[in-house]
Amino acid sequence: MERKTTNLIQIGDVQIGAGSPIAVQSMNNTDTRDAVSTIRQIKLLHEAGCDITRVAIPDREAALALAKIVKESPIPVVADIHFDYRLALLAIENGAAKIRMNPGNIGDESRVREIALAAKERGIPIRVGVNSGSISPDVIRTFGGINRESMAHSAMEAIRQLEKVGFYDIVVSIKSSDPLLTIESYRLLSDQTPYPLHLGVTEAGTLHEGVIRSAVGIGTLLAEGIGDTIRVSLTGDPVDEVRAAYSILKSLSLRKRGITMISCPTCGRTSVPLVEIAEKLEKMTMDLPYDLKIAVMGCAVNGPGEAKDADLGIAGGQGEFLLFEKGVAVRKISQESVLEELMIEIHKLGKQKS
Ligand code: SF4
């Protein structure tokens, strides 16, 4: 897939745009004023593979806590600002690696200019974050509603506000909770601007629904070569956002990380508790660093053949499993010890390959 060429932007030590790997982002759901909890969560996000995180800056205390958070964070920390431009200035002073704001809710242009000048002085980018819920009534009227045209227009208006003061270190997002509107809006915007695009479906929902909506919205755009960094928004643990982001990226061969597990849907040929075994294995391998494909198949008749691209796999028999490597049978394992023995094989092969 050919990726759209965009400008290169530096966020701390992470580059986005211009063909850089698609960066995975998340957002802390801790109270930013509680620096200790926030740092703890950032470390978990980092371990899960998160490249950049964002924290809410609702008040002065949160902006001041940034100094400690940034100092101890292993990844760049973005400050999320709404309405109060003074909080953006304070967050910049306290080491934010990027500012996320919606110029539309910052107020008059002189305030946006002040933020842009402070960001420029520190060499940090600004993400213009337009949401379908924050489009001005005037723009909605002009374009006949909340649609791709009004979304793209709002983003371009915000970009021009920053460009007017000589600020070009820009990333743009244009999110909606409707995956289809998100897709159409990003497509339109991508034709209008060379700035890197931060993809996401906003207020996507809980783990199950949210992952599906995000996979459809983000995945469709990525498959068209659009997008430079992604965030999967979920109502839940942000670590799950990072895991979901990698599942999307791995499905499109855009990033590699950890185990890819495939498993069959089971059928009348299955005589082992495959669902339970697959679920347990998924949890056990979730955070392993090896770049391996593991197959969990219900029967030895079709399993090894259907999953011959997997590095390792198990296929169910009568109270036992067949262990196979690249579709070739290795040995039989009893049902009782299948997870334990498979984990030993995964570690062995993973270490060999890395
Ligand atoms: Fe059925 Fe075997 Fe295919 Fe699984 S691998 S769906 S058990 S035929």
Side-chain angles (χ1 to χ4, degrees), residues 54-332:
R54 178 160 49 116
V55 296
I57 306 293
D59 57 23
R60 260 186 79 79
E61 213 186 313
L64 294 172
L66 252 189
K68 186 172 161 58
I69 294 167
V70 165
K71 202 165 147 224
E72 293 190 35
S73 173
I75 51 176
V77 182
V78 180
D80 190 70
I81 308 292
H82 281 280
F83 302 106
D84 193 341
Y85 80 106
R86 288 165 304 185
L87 294 177
L89 299 177
L90 202 56
I92 292 170
E93 253 175 59
N94 281 278
K98 182 174 80 174
I99 295 292
R100 182 267 167 173
M101 65 169 187
N102 180 349
N105 72 25
I106 293 295
D108 70 71
E109 279 199 45
S110 65
R111 291 174 175 181
V112 173
R113 186 165 51 236
E114 252 194 87
I115 298 173
L117 291 177
K120 196 173 183 178
E121 207 182 296
R122 290 265 178 158
I124 66 165
I126 292 176
R127 167 154 70 96
V128 166
V130 171
N131 280 359
S132 51
S134 64
I135 300 179
S136 77
D138 278 355
V139 175
I140 292 176
R141 219 171 300 120
T142 309
F143 291 92
I146 298 173
N147 48 37
R148 61 183 180 166
E149 286 81 12
S150 54
M151 297 269 284
H153 177 86
S154 300
M156 291 308 296
E157 227 179 19
I159 289 169
R160 276 192 284 269
Q161 253 184 291
L162 292 173
E163 288 178 337
K164 222 155 91 185
V165 293
F167 191 88
Y168 304 98
D169 209 1
I170 302 169
V171 181
V172 196
S173 65
I174 185 170
K175 302 180 186 181
S176 157
S177 56
D178 175 349
L180 198 53
L181 177 57
T182 303
I183 293 166
E184 289 176 341
S185 304
Y186 273 104
R187 278 181 185 150
L188 186 60
L189 183 66
S190 158
D191 285 338
Q192 296 178 4
T193 180
Y195 294 117
L197 299 181
H198 167 122
L199 304 185
V201 175
T202 194
E203 294 113 26
T206 51
L207 189 57
H208 177 74
E209 191 69 10
V211 167
I212 293 171
R213 294 160 73 83
S214 298
V216 170
I218 295 172
T220 302
L221 289 162
L222 288 175
E224 293 174 10
I226 296 171
D228 302 279
T229 177
I230 67 172
R231 183 208 173 184
V232 174
S233 294
L234 295 176
T235 308
D237 185 346
V239 169
D240 285 329
E241 298 187 346
V242 177
R243 291 187 181 128
Y246 275 98
S247 294
I248 295 171
L249 293 173
K250 284 198 294 187
S251 303
L252 294 165
S253 298
L254 285 165
R255 294 262 319 244
K256 286 182 176 173
R257 185 180 172 89
I259 305 277
T260 301
M261 204 182 103
I262 58 169
S263 52
C264 84
T266 75
C267 70
R269 294 184 190 86
T270 317
S271 53
V272 285
L274 200 80
V275 177
E276 187 191 322
I277 286 170
E279 280 173 2
K280 280 189 184 157
L281 187 69
E282 188 181 48
K283 286 201 182 90
M284 290 163 85
T285 57
M286 199 174 258
D287 296 317
L288 291 183
Y290 317 125
D291 175 22
L292 293 178
K293 191 182 229 184
I294 308 294
V296 179
M297 308 299 279
C299 74
V301 181
N302 287 340
E306 279 185 25
K308 62 172 174 287
D309 62 328
D311 297 294
L312 265 181
I314 48 169
Q318 294 298 328
E320 60 181 15
F321 280 87
L322 177 72
L323 175 76
F324 60 89
E325 245 188 88
K326 293 280 181 196
V328 179
V330 177
R331 65 186 158 88
K332 288 184 176 165

Side-chain angles (χ1 to χ4, degrees), residues 21-40:
I22 308 282
V24 171
Q25 305 207 25
S26 186
M27 182 165 181
N28 285 72
N29 59 6
T30 47
D31 183 337
T32 311
R33 293 167 297 190
D34 178 356
V36 173
S37 301
T38 303
I39 292 161
R40 196 183 305 130

